[in-house]
Amino acid sequence: DLMRDPAAAATFPHDYLWLGWYDELRASLAQTLREGRTSGNQLRIVFNQSCAAQLELRQGRLSAAAAAAAEAIPLGEAIGTPALVGVAAGALAAVHAWRGQAEACRTHALVALAAARDAGDRYQEAFAHHALALLALGCGRPEDAIVELEPLARGWATSTVVEPGVVAFVPDLVEAYVLCGAADD
């Protein structure tokens, strides 16, 4: 319970992200990051900064997202947490997509995809594909965005997921269809 334990949100960061409880998550991540830094808990730092990168990205704070990911990636590599490196790399790929930095986007998306596949994390894999789709849309290639996003939509259609925050790619898929003249899709 967040009222009794402000650090609770940092334990379930994606749930808070999906529900749009950004302020609560930001406060919790800040508190537990301070605690991690004070105690020298490198795993806590990598975890928090990976989550913070996704939180800041979700709110359009690209510089803050990039800074959090830039700390998480090398520290995560140093302590051997490839799954968390992948989470941060996925967020960084999306930052690069929004900035139109194609090569950097693809490089970080590949890191994120490999880590997600190794961990069996379909959500993080989708996150990386979404970054590539954003890049394609920004570069005027909606057909490439459809290639990235249609498999995600098919997976979602067969799932029990109903929370819209989990499937943030849907508006971009709709945009790609419209731009390709496939509004009925």
Side-chain angles (χ1 to χ4, degrees):
D1 177 43
L2 191 58
M3 298 303 270
R4 287 188 297 245
D5 181 10
T11 305
F12 304 100
H14 288 101
D15 298 298
Y16 278 74
L17 262 182
W18 298 330
L19 294 170
W21 296 351
Y22 305 135
D23 293 339
E24 295 87 346
L25 179 55
R26 181 174 283 105
S28 184
L29 288 173
Q31 175 185 329
T32 56
L33 180 62
R34 280 191 303 275
E35 292 166 0
R37 290 189 196 290
T38 300
S39 67
N41 185 337
Q42 294 178 325
L43 179 59
R44 170 52 72 185
I45 294 167
V46 173
F47 181 82
N48 277 46
Q49 291 297 72
S50 295
C51 297
Q54 290 197 355
L55 169 63
E56 299 301 349
L57 177 66
R58 179 74 63 112
Q59 293 203 285
R61 298 175 177 162
L62 301 183
S63 294
E71 180 177 11
I73 292 170
L75 183 56
E77 289 171 343
I79 66 170
T81 56
L84 292 176
V85 169
V87 170
L92 194 52
V95 167
H96 289 305
W98 280 107
R99 291 178 171 168
Q101 299 164 330
E103 186 174 330
C105 174
R106 287 186 198 97
T107 298
H108 286 96
L110 289 175
V111 169
L113 285 168
R117 287 179 183 143
D118 287 348
D121 187 337
R122 292 182 61 205
Y123 173 74
Q124 293 303 331
E125 188 176 342
F127 198 84
H129 282 291
H130 189 189
L132 293 169
L134 288 171
L135 176 65
L137 282 170
C139 292
R141 295 188 329 270
E143 62 283 349
D144 292 345
I146 291 170
V147 169
E148 294 291 343
L149 298 177
E150 274 187 338
L152 306 182
R154 284 192 300 273
W156 174 44
T158 62
S159 76
T160 59
V161 174
V162 295
E163 175 56 47
V166 177
V167 291
F169 66 86
V170 171
D172 297 310
L173 180 56
V174 170
E175 179 182 350
Y177 281 141
V178 169
L179 290 172
C180 285
D184 289 344
D185 291 338

